[in-house]
Amino acid sequence: MASNDRRILLDFEKPLAELDSQILQIRELAEENGVDYSDQIYQLEARALELRKEIFSNLTPTQRLQVARHPRRPSTLDYIQAISDEWMELHGDRRGFDDPAVVGGVARFNGQPVVMLGQQKGRDTKDNIARNFGMASPGGYRKAIRLMEHADRFGMPILTFIDTPAAWAGIEAEQFGQGEAIAYNLREMFKFEVPIVCTVIGEGGSGGALGIGVGDRVIMLEHSVYSVAPPEACAAILWRDAGKSAQAADALKITAEDLQRLGIIDEILPEPIGAAHADPLQATEILKDALIRTLAELSSMGSQQRKDLRYQKFRSIGVFAEASLTA
Amino acid sequence: MSSLFDWFANRQKKEPEIQAQPERDIADGLWTKCDKCSALTYTKDLKANQMVCLECNHHMRVFSDERLRQILDPDSWQPMNEQLLPLDPLGFRDRKPYSDRVRETQDKTKLTDAVQTGLGKIEGNPVALGVMDFRFMGGSMGSVVGEKLTRLIERATQQRIPVLIVCASGGARMQEGMLSLMQMAKISGALERHREANLLYIPLLTHPTAGGVTASFAMLGDIILAEPKATIAFAGRRVVEQTIREKLPDDFQTAEYLLGRGFIDAIVPRTQLRKTLGQLLRLHQSPPTVPSKLVMHHLPDLKTLSSIEG
């Protein structure tokens, strides 16, 4: 089974894979010889579980980044399709573009009509090229805000899913106003009367992520990351050495725990043991439950109260000293 | 912000140039050499011409104090929130601890952080003004810049006055990590409330305006002005060149280029700036009698209507 499964192994997953294949071998041996090895198998499985727990609860920021970028990690469309009762993708920014790096549409979620949208990374190389590796162009941000405006008009809560290395930095992106497109979203998202929940499901890459990231609640999956700049690039500039990206990843504080401590995000959703790619179904259930609970909380407020709290939430972010004026 | 990287990379080249010619030298030195055409100009004349080269019209870099003098009515400046100081919330250390970098920059520039904010008047019109200063870590935006600008905009909303922000920044400040990125949202939120109150916001984009500043308050003006030849970008030139693996045209990401693409309203030579701002502020000053007259006109109608219904 393991041999024809094209699994992509991260370095720190290798001891686990070895253990898994040992278990498999013993199983096969037991079957061939008709001997009962279930005790040994049970012990090994317990050890594998412990090891998996241990490894995944002690990941360094760089390892987190690897998990967040894992090619098998569930994407925005995977989650949308799995958590919604029904869903129809809608296209285009009405300004001449339909950016495949951003997907969005109308859906029924837990019985309620909502708008869901997010950056979409490719599921394989071909798809990734088509979707520009989830790096949105101005048209993508404009499609997103157009769908959010739609949601606001029809009283549908907005669920955004963040998964992007960065906003696209190509020539057309500059030509068509990447800065303006993101800026516009940042301002307009404060306006909406409907609840907004933003979830970082993989990689939250700087302004490209924030462009759909202003919400009443900002949630992160346990092994996702959110950073002001990609650690590789930060290392190249601040350390003048791209090889120092591990130090940069550490210094930038990109993990969910660090960001909760800094007051940037509201909640961390635990992932299945071995991360979301190890058990996408369970990851989906965890996400769905959290979104149902969060929407219920937000729906119990009036729209003005929600808007005020959304403002206050971002208003209070920042760490500085305020010296006494009388000094 | 990708453009921030670009800027940091460029800063390595530019820093000595800035150090060799700090503002003080320009003020004290008898002659100043244009960085563009190398013409020597009597410094007094150059300052009188707002640091615009008399030979080639090149707009030399102007820092916050000088900018305030150029734009505002004399003695109208009331600084706000000068007591806000940066901290080092991440304990950030690259080749040098962030806290050292901040202290050294403060000593060198006599600034507390990369923006000065306050209230002032332009040709008699009250305005809430923020001026970024590129000398302070490339005008990068961390918690203090975000907080000072947010307080400025909130004050303007409260007092019902326009906001003017002079942008000069490489983008979000990496050394404060995600706290810096979130300042983009925070300031945009404050601008939303200011806008909701039908108040005027004008950003002036000066060289350079990039990254997270471009992707937030720089591009959110009701009217967006820029200085001639200013570089205005989201991702910096080098990042774009590396991404697409080809050279970019010379005028790419200049103020002139953005004007041609419809992203800014006007390029204003520095010598015309004060006059232009005064004109725009006057044009958007709705005389207080007009709205109240409108209300008076409508009130009797409404009363009649309700009395009929009642």
Side-chain angles (χ1 to χ4, degrees), chain B:
Chain B
M1 300 280 80
S2 15
S3 57
L4 190 60
F5 317 144
D6 201 10
W7 165 74
F8 268 105
N10 286 335
R11 193 175 67 132
Q12 298 169 18
K13 284 177 256 158
K14 280 174 188 159
E15 211 163 34
E17 186 192 326
I18 294 168
Q19 277 170 343
Q21 247 188 16
E23 204 171 19
R24 180 168 39 82
D25 285 5
I26 296 171
D28 298 346
L30 211 53
W31 297 88
T32 302
K33 190 171 159 186
C34 172
D35 359 298
K36 204 70 170 207
C37 73
S38 303
L40 279 174
T41 311
Y42 194 43
T43 304
K44 238 176 151 178
D45 293 344
L46 192 62
K47 281 193 87 172
N49 202 42
Q50 322 238 15
M51 301 304 292
V52 177
C53 177
L54 293 153
E55 296 295 324
C56 73
N57 217 24
H58 173 58
H59 285 55
M60 293 181 210
R61 213 164 249 168
V62 161
F63 301 114
S64 49
D65 289 321
E66 179 73 15
R67 181 74 71 175
L68 289 170
R69 271 194 293 276
Q70 290 178 2
I71 296 181
L72 289 176
D73 296 352
D75 301 320
S76 70
W77 178 238
Q78 295 170 261
M80 281 166 54
N81 295 307
E82 289 180 299
Q83 75 281 14
L84 297 195
L85 300 169
L87 290 173
D88 179 16
L90 308 190
F92 196 97
R93 195 199 156 93
D94 42 79
R95 286 164 303 119
K96 201 190 263 189
Y98 173 46
S99 48
D100 288 0
R101 226 179 259 282
V102 165
R103 207 173 326 107
E104 285 164 22
T105 313
Q106 285 172 334
D107 290 346
K108 206 168 73 187
T109 60
K110 307 292 172 217
L111 297 165
T112 52
D113 207 312
V115 73
Q116 295 202 55
T117 56
L119 305 178
K121 284 186 175 170
I122 298 172
E123 298 192 335
N125 303 281
V127 65
L129 175 63
V131 181
M132 302 189 85
D133 199 309
F134 195 77
R135 287 173 304 171
F136 203 101
M137 299 183 68
S140 58
M141 168 168 61
S143 297
V144 170
V145 170
E147 183 69 18
K148 283 176 87 170
L149 287 175
T150 303
R151 288 190 191 183
L152 178 79
I153 298 160
E154 285 178 337
R155 173 75 79 88
T157 308
Q158 222 172 50
Q159 299 195 358
R160 301 201 53 82
I161 55 173
V163 172
L164 168 64
I165 300 177
V166 180
C167 302
S169 173
R173 188 175 294 169
M174 271 193 249
Q175 288 89 343
E176 291 186 28
M178 282 293 289
L179 291 165
S180 300
L181 190 78
M182 290 296 157
Q183 304 309 311
M184 293 164 63
K186 178 163 139 182
I187 296 167
S188 303
L191 283 173
E192 202 280 313
R193 292 191 157 190
H194 187 257
R195 180 185 167 86
E196 198 68 4
N198 288 331
L199 298 166
L200 179 69
Y201 165 48
I202 304 176
L204 169 70
L205 315 185
T206 74
H207 181 75
T209 296
V213 169
T214 301
S216 61
F217 56 91
M219 284 293 152
L220 290 177
D222 297 297
I223 294 171
I224 306 179
L225 306 179
E227 284 206 320
K229 304 268 165 37
T231 296
I232 302 156
F234 172 64
R237 166 178 286 268
R238 271 181 6 134
V239 173
V240 178
E241 281 180 346
Q242 278 165 16
T243 308
I244 61 166
R245 293 178 202 288
E246 53 185 280
K247 288 267 309 153
L248 294 168
D250 281 347
D251 72 334
F252 191 61
Q253 300 182 321
T254 59
E256 290 71 13
Y257 177 85
L258 264 83
L259 183 70
R261 309 277 332 174
F263 284 106
I264 60 175
D265 288 283
I267 296 169
V268 184
R270 200 178 285 155
T271 45
Q272 304 294 312
L273 183 60
R274 190 175 134 81
K275 213 180 74 187
T276 306
L277 290 170
Q279 182 187 21
L280 285 173
L281 292 171
R282 275 192 304 278
L283 281 169
H284 291 83
Q285 209 178 40
S286 45
T289 47
V290 172
S292 58
K293 255 188 203 165
L294 282 172
V295 172
M296 291 300 282
H297 267 294
H298 282 92
L299 273 177
D301 292 348
L302 282 171
K303 262 184 194 161
T304 320
L305 202 66
S306 61
S307 63
I308 292 168
E309 278 173 352

Side-chain angles (χ1 to χ4, degrees), chain A residues 184-236:
Chain A
Y184 183 83
N185 289 15
L186 298 187
R187 186 184 68 202
E188 296 302 299
M189 287 182 86
F190 280 99
K191 245 192 211 168
F192 298 137
E193 308 274 326
V194 295
I196 307 173
V197 183
C198 308
T199 311
V200 186
I201 57 167
E203 222 181 339
S206 70
L210 188 61
I212 58 165
V214 178
D216 300 302
R217 294 281 188 280
V218 180
I219 296 172
M220 278 177 83
L221 290 187
E222 183 184 353
H223 297 302
S224 63
V225 296
Y226 200 170
S227 66
V228 65
E232 294 85 351
C234 175

